[in-house]
Amino acid sequence: MSPTLYSRLLSVAPKFSLVFLVLYQLILYPHFLSPLRHIPGPPLGHPVYGQFPTIIKGEAGIIQREWAKKHGSVVRAVGPIGIERLMFTKPDALHKILVSDWVDYPRPGFMRDILGLTAGYGLLTVTGNEHKQMRKFMNPAFSIPSLMAQTDMYYNSIESLIEILQTQIDTEEKPEAGKEFLMYEWTSKVTLDIICATAFGYKTDSLHNPHNELADAYERLLSPNLARFIALMVIPGVPRLLASDWAYRHRHWFSRFQNLAQAAILVDSMHRIKQVSAGILAEKMRDSAVAASDTEAKRDIMSLLVRARKADTEKDKGAYTLSDNAMMEQVLTFLGAGHETTASGLAWTLWLLANDQESQARLRDEVTPLLADNPRPDYRSLKDLQWLDCVVMESLRVLPPVPMTFRRAAKTDYIDGVLVPKGTIFYIPIRVVNTSKDLWGEDAEEFRPSRWLDLPKTYSPSSSHMSFIAGPHACIGKTMAIIEMKAVLASLIAEFEFEPAYAGQVAQPTAAVTMKPKDNMPLRVRRVSRKTA
Ligand code: HEM
């Protein structure tokens, strides 16, 4: 070969390699080579984005439910840049992925990066042994005794919310007609104030002060546009880059470009949230001088963790413990994981009750006598309210705040008879399972709280209701979230009646990480005309 030809070939080789790589990834592999190509599923979709545009346009979890109905219990779908996802819906397959073999099925890197950027590199992002140790260290802070000691703290925020709604209704021209409220905004404020009080002993009072720094930063961080942007952040390295100091210093560059303006908002909001979190942690460190046995010691989760760390290291110098930085990441995790999820759960429950007046009236009949006797019911009293339990569990079942999550195969293995290669990404289809007709019967997609009084024979607590998933990564805040939702709902339903804001109103769940109402959920709210049934 002549030297000229050789050097020409060398100069075009990178271009050809790139073209080949693109063709391989987008066409050759998914169409002809993938060992998963014969698994039934929707068509490959857009040449670059696959089924992604269909997924983000629709309601979270619904398209996956259609796929399961059409293609069966194992579905293959292709996402952006030809990356395949598998969806198993049989309980045994999900049990293997989430419970029995969970170490072999960690959260995928892209998900850990996105969660890390928006909710801290804490319990939500670690895996394997590190996760086991961290979870063991944190479990006591979420125990029933700890929750029982915290329940009373919810009511300061709940009472503020009730007073605000009452005052606004009473100042209307016709108070008896009630007033329209964007209920998601209010559930978001009340849950932010509650999580800050119970997790950190920190007073946000976003209910009275909408410009509270933390509330403001979260509002911007969780805006629907940003949620869509986050869903696109699957490009390796991008979340880490956005989490860096460099990105904060140069955030104004991003705002100059239309498509990157959301990145500037995200970087700025996260920086502000981190600053507040650092302040919260510094205060806890100062408080840790208080002896662990001090009965007056603070009962919030962070104080419990800081004191447990101190006690463990005093007892055993080599004991597992969290560094200051890891503690700081947990602050972000509790804020990120515990606020918007519970706010959405509450807003959806109000929506479902507004559309089912019979269930709402029955709930009012149940809670009113209890609240008349004791306006601040404790953990046990709330837990004993049977219809309240049915309503909350049913709402979390049909409209789960986290409709979907992901896992990745860390080794090649058979699942439900399919040989799944290492590296395969899985959908964990929470909403699909929660509303499966095989598990819940023909009316599985309907809101019918009474089903919890007579559960189907197929019901299993860990595999029929997946809203908090199952196994070692199951939500650590599950009991806290449920009891918090019950306290807020009982208090609101005893005081107010909820109705759709206008005829023909439909639910508008977004397709982001957390399923929240796109329209902030307008509802008409009236003061109750009678207190007891
Ligand atoms: C209705 C409210 C809530 C729902 C629906 C919910 C749902 C979930 C789900 C589905 C997961 C698993 C995610 C995955 O593994 O991919 C999870 C994990 C987690 N949640 Fe929640 N959550 C709620 C409230 C809370 C609260 C109040 C807190 C804490 C204050 C919290 C803290 C966490 C943490 C730390 C994890 C990671 C657990 C681990 O990997 O060990 N969540 N949650």
Side-chain angles (χ1 to χ4, degrees):
M1 197 185 300
S2 79
T4 349
L5 181 62
Y6 182 70
S7 65
R8 256 203 212 144
L9 275 178
L10 266 187
S11 72
V12 294
K15 281 183 204 150
F16 272 119
S17 315
L18 190 68
V19 171
F20 177 74
L21 203 73
V22 170
L23 285 178
Y24 176 85
Q25 191 62 31
L26 298 184
I27 297 170
L28 279 179
Y29 187 79
H31 279 278
F32 306 107
L33 300 173
S34 162
L36 303 175
R37 67 189 184 279
H38 299 302
I39 294 178
L44 296 188
H46 187 279
V48 178
Y49 302 117
Q51 283 292 332
F52 194 62
T54 319
I55 294 170
I56 59 162
K57 250 185 259 145
E59 197 176 308
I62 296 298
I63 186 75
Q64 289 82 358
R65 188 161 74 194
E66 296 311 310
W67 293 342
K69 281 181 192 166
K70 190 164 174 196
H71 304 290
S73 60
V74 190
V75 174
R76 171 201 185 227
V78 174
I81 51 167
I83 296 174
E84 298 166 305
R85 283 147 170 80
L86 280 191
M87 180 172 87
F88 289 93
T89 48
K90 279 199 189 148
D92 285 354
L94 289 167
H95 188 269
K96 180 180 168 77
I97 296 170
L98 296 173
V99 187
S100 57
D101 293 6
W102 71 281
V103 177
D104 297 326
Y105 300 99
R107 296 182 180 114
F110 77 85
M111 184 184 166
R112 294 213 299 269
D113 282 346
I114 292 172
L115 287 174
L117 179 65
T118 53
Y121 292 89
L123 194 62
L124 266 168
T125 57
V126 289
T127 194
N129 217 23
E130 194 186 355
H131 175 268
K132 274 189 216 163
Q133 289 182 310
M134 197 183 274
R135 178 98 187 204
K136 195 167 152 214
F137 175 76
M138 289 170 62
N139 273 338
F142 288 87
S143 65
I144 305 287
S146 154
L147 282 178
M148 286 169 87
Q150 284 175 1
T151 311
D152 193 57
M153 294 187 212
Y154 303 162
Y155 291 104
N156 297 338
S157 312
I158 295 174
E159 284 160 6
S160 293
L161 173 61
I162 290 176
E163 199 192 308
I164 291 169
L165 299 182
Q166 282 175 342
T167 313
Q168 293 202 18
I169 293 172
D170 290 349
T171 47
E172 285 289 284
E173 208 172 303
K174 285 190 186 159
E176 64 286 0
K179 180 175 160 59
E180 195 182 303
F181 289 93
L182 293 174
M183 278 317 291
Y184 177 75
E185 286 185 357
W186 293 102
T187 58
S188 179
K189 287 184 171 85
V190 78
T191 51
L192 181 66
D193 289 354
I194 292 176
I195 192 79
C196 284
T198 53
F200 321 113
Y202 173 82
K203 198 167 186 278
T204 18
D205 198 14
S206 67
L207 282 161
H208 289 110
N209 175 13
H211 301 299
N212 167 280
E213 194 174 12
L214 204 56
D216 209 42
Y218 264 105
E219 199 170 310
R220 280 151 50 86
L221 182 72
L222 301 171
S223 74
N225 283 345
L226 197 55
R228 219 167 291 137
F229 174 76
I230 288 171
L232 288 168
M233 279 197 310
V234 286
I235 303 165
V238 170
R240 290 271 174 183
L241 178 81
L242 293 178
S244 67
D245 286 344
W246 179 89
Y248 179 68
R249 282 199 308 276
H250 298 89
R251 65 195 184 287
H252 302 297
W253 287 3
F254 299 127
S255 40
R256 286 193 206 139
F257 304 95
Q258 206 191 351
N259 291 339
L260 292 180
Q262 292 298 341
I265 297 177
L266 184 133
V267 169
D268 191 61
S269 307
M270 275 318 291
H271 184 83
R272 289 206 266 155
I273 292 169
K274 276 188 183 165
Q275 271 185 325
V276 178
S277 308
I280 293 173
L281 187 62
E283 196 185 308
K284 297 290 135 190
M285 297 299 183
R286 284 195 295 277
D287 279 3
S288 72
V290 178
S293 57
D294 189 334
T295 46
E296 289 301 302
K298 291 192 174 165
R299 287 162 294 160
D300 61 82
I301 296 172
M302 213 59 201
S303 296
L304 294 175
L305 290 179
V306 169
R307 284 203 301 276
R309 181 172 82 156
K310 195 163 175 258
D312 283 358
T313 41
E314 276 169 7
K315 217 171 15 179
D316 171 7
K317 294 270 175 259
Y320 170 82
T321 193
L322 294 181
S323 66
D324 283 4
N325 196 41
M327 282 281 196
M328 155 91 189
E329 297 294 343
Q330 302 304 337
V331 175
L332 295 173
T333 299
F334 295 154
L335 277 173
H339 161 219
E340 204 201 353
T341 45
T342 318
S344 302
L346 273 170
W348 291 125
T349 313
L350 290 175
W351 163 256
L352 291 163
L353 288 174
N355 285 280
D356 178 355
Q357 291 295 326
E358 214 181 302
S359 293
Q360 189 183 148
R362 184 167 170 183
L363 183 57
R364 189 164 300 110
D365 288 348
E366 183 180 72
V367 298
T368 306
L370 175 73
L371 272 101
D373 270 1
N374 173 15
R376 293 185 156 216
D378 61 9
Y379 177 88
R380 285 263 161 255
S381 317
L382 287 168
K383 204 168 178 318
D384 288 347
L385 293 174
Q386 195 186 40
W387 189 246
L388 180 61
D389 191 58
C390 294
V391 166
V392 169
M393 295 311 282
E394 182 68 348
S395 159
L396 288 169
R397 184 184 72 82
V398 285
L399 288 169
V402 181
M404 172 102 48
T405 182
F406 298 89
R407 291 295 185 265
R408 181 183 60 83
K411 68 169 193 188
T412 301
D413 198 359
Y414 280 95
I415 305 177
D416 199 9
V418 175
L419 184 65
V420 178
K422 180 178 170 175
T424 304
I425 304 281
F426 303 99
Y427 283 119
I428 304 298
I430 295 173
R431 197 173 179 190
V432 179
V433 172
N434 280 7
T435 55
S436 150
K437 292 189 179 174
D438 291 345
L439 295 171
W440 291 97
E442 273 311 301
D443 66 352
E445 292 167 22
E446 281 163 37
F447 175 71
R448 186 171 63 80
S450 60
R451 77 175 77 241
W452 289 87
L453 300 171
D454 180 22
L455 285 163
K457 291 203 173 34
T458 44
Y459 174 76
S460 133
S462 61
S463 55
S464 305
H465 193 263
M466 299 271 296
S467 298
F468 299 93
I469 69 158
H473 276 301
C475 176
I476 198 171
K478 173 181 174 179
T479 316
M480 179 181 178
I482 291 178
I483 213 71
E484 181 184 336
M485 283 178 67
K486 287 183 176 178
V488 178
L489 272 176
S491 307
L492 284 180
I493 293 292
E495 295 296 333
F496 304 103
E497 292 168 355
F498 294 86
E499 272 174 33
Y502 51 91
Q505 185 178 355
V506 289
Q508 295 186 30
T510 52
V513 182
T514 307
M515 186 164 73
K516 56 181 202 149
K518 216 183 287 174
D519 56 356
N520 280 331
M521 187 165 307
L523 289 181
R524 178 148 295 273
V525 185
R526 284 195 185 83
R527 297 186 68 156
V528 282
S529 38
R530 64 188 168 85
K531 287 267 175 183
T532 42

